[in-house]
Amino acid sequence: MLIALLNKSESSIFWAYELYHSGFQEELFAFIWKIYYDFYYALNPSFRDYFIKKQHDWMKSNHTDNKIIDDTSNTQDDKLIAMIISDLLIRPYNMDTFMLCRIIDS
């Protein structure tokens, strides 16, 4: 998914759906946050508020008493995932933060 996003490929939506529908919903959101902060944040800081709202909408519709409701046929969730990934596809990114974190880690 990361490589597809950075290559501006629509297949990134497919890979996001693969993760989501394989039961990795929360992990997908964590991964998108990581990608956002590593590659997109510096040039798109306002996207953060949008992403928070979309994740909150997803959590409201899919969590009851801290348990995920297994409803993979929910088209609203599909649209929400596609919207987030499509938004990243059209945004510019750079590798500054990613490279800086790798230098610090080593």
Side-chain angles (χ1 to χ4, degrees):
M1 186 179 92
L2 171 62
I3 300 302
L5 263 173
L6 297 181
N7 284 329
K8 302 288 186 195
S9 170
E10 294 284 326
S11 68
S12 56
I13 297 170
F14 167 81
W15 292 114
Y17 283 154
E18 276 293 308
L19 288 167
Y20 189 85
H21 291 293
S22 294
F24 298 104
Q25 294 92 355
E26 291 180 5
E27 292 86 349
L28 174 61
F29 279 99
F31 187 42
I32 297 170
W33 275 113
K34 175 88 171 113
I35 291 169
Y36 170 66
Y37 280 119
D38 279 355
F39 299 99
Y40 291 89
Y41 179 74
L43 300 176
N44 306 279
S46 64
F47 183 76
R48 182 180 176 277
D49 294 335
Y50 169 80
F51 191 19
I52 289 170
K53 182 188 178 325
K54 292 301 175 191
Q55 187 174 17
H56 180 72
D57 292 347
W58 173 79
M59 289 173 67
K60 253 190 340 193
S61 70
N62 287 289
H63 287 76
T64 305
D65 298 321
N66 295 330
K67 293 183 181 178
I68 296 177
I69 298 169
D70 186 22
D71 182 14
T72 56
S73 64
N74 188 341
T75 57
Q76 282 300 103
D77 288 349
D78 285 351
K79 288 178 184 176
L80 187 131
I81 298 300
M83 285 172 33
I84 293 169
I85 298 300
S86 295
D87 247 353
L88 289 175
L89 281 171
I90 62 171
R91 293 179 181 274
Y93 69 89
N94 65 37
M95 299 185 83
D96 296 350
T97 304
F98 176 76
M99 296 302 290
L100 181 61
C101 289
R102 298 311 163 252
I103 292 169
I104 293 171
D105 287 343
S106 51

